[in-house]
Amino acid sequence: MTSKTPYRFIISGGGTGGHIYPALAVANEIMDQHPDSEILFVGAQGKMEMTKVQEAGYKIVGLWISGLQRRVTIQNLLLPFKVIHSFFSAIGIVKKFSPNAVLGFGGYASGPMMFAANSRKVPTLIQEQNSYAGLTNKKFGKKAKSICVAYEGMEKYFPKDVIKFTGNPVRSDILSLENKRDEAIQHFELDPNKKTVLVIGGSLGARTINRSIAGHLDKVVKGGFQVLWQTGRFYYNDMKNVAADYGSNIKVHEFIKRMDLAYASADVVVSRAGALSISELSLVGKPTILVPSPNVAEDHQTKNARSLSTNGAAILIRDSESEKSLMNNVVDLLGDKEKQASLSAALKKMGKPNATKDIVSEVMRIIN
């Protein structure tokens, strides 16, 4: 479907994959529905969105903006100047690009862009991925035309009348994993006769999860299963060295690009509890063990994970207990088909497969 007048959108957000990938999913859906649209991304200079967005084929502009460091640094001293500079730059971007709407997904760049859009009276939409709203989204949510959320109870952060319970947008390739297992086995050089545990801790890695796996690899051999392990950039070399003694049972990757195939290969998944991960896992429906990171604002990953575990949709293991109990839980779950089935069924009930389309519908509603 081609619009009569090409739509123009600015999409802002980044810093982590949890902000970037939902933004890209929405951008792709906009282009599928309205292929003559123009989309400009705005991110923070030096952050991962500056690379990831361009790799996806979109133009991105970087603002000179960063967060507050926990210690006294030159960056902290520069922060007031960065904020002022970014706000003026954002106003200039909105004025020049003249968008129909500005979409904010959280992260450092979203604040200046939401401010600029409001100052130019451009409609804004915010997409909040977590059960705990981010600082930028909370501040600018009061003036947003629509706020798309993935968790119930978000009226404690945002005006109730603009909240839309859509779920989180996810990459389209994971929506259909049927008939991908054979390709996945071949792609990752796995043994088709062994059960597979997929371990994912984010692009940078999760120290506790990595230690919990590395310290009990003997149980993998004894149990007769295999591990497809995304260690993250910071831990890859160390974990690869540890796994070398266990042969082909352990497949170590710094980062897995084909997550659709990784999910397709898995019998059980071990993951952090970031909002994007949970949204993907809810659609994939594989039996899941969640180990929430404690190093996040308001412990929101534990809240994310508890929303699943209280509904029998995942097993929650606290970070502090992981090294002692994670692998035992993995082995027990692999041997319990009834538990696997109940977790899978409950998890699928929580999925929102139409989230991306619903968010784009909201975008079109606020500009029309």
Side-chain angles (χ1 to χ4, degrees):
M1 178 178 176
T2 302
S3 56
K4 293 179 181 180
T5 302
Y7 294 115
R8 298 167 68 84
F9 301 101
I10 289 177
I11 298 179
S12 63
T16 68
H19 296 312
I20 297 166
Y21 295 122
L24 286 171
V26 169
N28 291 339
E29 183 63 29
I30 288 174
M31 295 307 296
D32 284 346
Q33 294 187 25
H34 305 280
D36 58 346
S37 298
E38 294 183 46
I39 295 177
L40 175 66
F41 276 80
V42 179
Q45 292 177 7
K47 296 299 180 180
M48 64 184 294
E49 60 264 26
M50 301 306 295
T51 299
K52 297 297 183 183
V53 168
Q54 291 187 75
E55 288 177 352
Y58 294 100
K59 182 179 179 181
I60 184 168
V61 176
L63 297 179
W64 188 46
I65 188 70
S66 61
L68 187 67
Q69 306 296 313
R70 293 185 179 181
R71 60 188 187 281
V72 178
T73 66
I74 293 177
Q75 295 300 317
N76 279 350
L77 297 176
L78 288 173
L79 186 59
F81 302 99
K82 287 184 176 182
V83 170
I84 294 170
H85 185 277
S86 293
F87 274 48
F88 278 105
S89 296
I91 291 172
I93 291 169
V94 171
K95 185 176 180 180
K96 181 179 180 180
F97 191 76
S98 189
N100 295 96
V102 174
L103 285 56
F105 287 79
Y108 302 135
S110 275
M113 293 314 304
M114 293 293 106
F115 172 83
N118 291 335
S119 70
R120 301 285 300 179
K121 300 192 184 309
V122 176
T124 60
L125 176 144
I126 286 174
Q127 201 269 317
E128 174 55 61
Q129 299 91 33
N130 288 290
S131 58
Y132 174 81
L135 181 62
T136 298
N137 285 351
K138 282 192 292 185
K139 180 173 179 58
F140 292 98
K142 297 175 183 178
K143 292 187 177 181
K145 295 293 185 182
S146 181
I147 301 174
C148 298
V149 302
Y151 292 89
E152 301 283 3
M154 298 302 285
E155 59 271 9
K156 60 179 173 283
Y157 304 116
F158 304 119
K160 187 175 182 179
D161 59 334
V162 295
I163 293 175
K164 305 295 178 182
F165 183 53
T166 59
N168 283 326
V170 300
R171 59 193 105 194
S172 59
D173 59 0
I174 71 164
L175 295 177
S176 180
L177 299 182
E178 292 82 1
N179 305 318
K180 283 190 175 182
R181 187 174 186 277
D182 290 343
E183 182 185 357
I185 295 296
Q186 184 176 6
H187 180 81
F188 293 111
E189 298 181 346
L190 297 166
D191 186 335
N193 299 312
K194 290 183 178 179
K195 292 182 178 179
T196 302
V197 177
L198 171 63
V199 180
I200 45 178
S203 58
L204 300 180
R207 181 176 63 179
T208 304
I209 291 179
N210 285 333
R211 286 181 174 178
S212 302
I213 300 299
H216 299 279
L217 288 177
D218 57 318
K219 293 180 180 178
V220 176
V221 177
K222 292 178 182 177
F225 59 94
Q226 58 195 342
V227 176
L228 177 57
W229 186 5
Q230 178 180 286
T231 63
R233 175 162 52 90
F234 292 154
Y235 307 98
Y236 174 69
N237 290 329
D238 289 343
M239 297 304 106
K240 187 176 181 180
N241 290 335
V242 170
D245 294 334
Y246 296 89
S248 61
N249 293 293
I250 316 296
K251 303 295 184 181
V252 180
H253 295 261
E254 177 181 331
F255 182 74
I256 297 174
K257 290 186 177 180
R258 289 297 305 272
M259 281 305 300
D260 59 323
L261 297 184
Y263 287 132
S265 73
D267 294 284
V268 166
V269 179
V270 174
S271 176
R272 283 301 201 195
L276 182 59
S277 295
I278 285 185
S279 295
E280 290 189 349
L281 291 164
S282 297
L283 296 176
V284 170
K286 295 296 178 80
T288 297
I289 298 174
L290 296 171
V291 185
S293 170
N295 305 311
V296 293
E298 299 294 319
D299 197 24
H300 69 254
Q301 283 205 10
T302 297
K303 295 173 184 176
N304 292 348
R306 192 173 291 123
S307 69
L308 268 63
S309 65
T310 55
N311 288 287
I315 295 171
L316 189 162
I317 296 178
R318 289 193 171 275
D319 189 85
S320 60
E321 301 168 355
S322 176
E323 291 190 49
K324 179 180 179 181
S325 63
L326 175 58
M327 190 59 86
N328 289 333
N329 276 271
V330 168
V331 173
D332 290 345
L333 184 55
L334 284 170
D336 191 340
K337 290 185 177 180
E338 186 175 333
K339 181 68 171 178
Q340 290 178 39
S342 66
L343 287 172
S344 180
L347 188 57
K348 286 180 178 178
K349 288 181 180 178
M350 303 189 75
K352 293 284 185 181
N354 296 318
T356 310
K357 286 183 169 59
D358 290 344
I359 290 170
V360 173
S361 293
E362 275 299 294
V363 173
M364 303 314 296
R365 183 186 67 80
I366 68 172
I367 67 175
N368 290 318

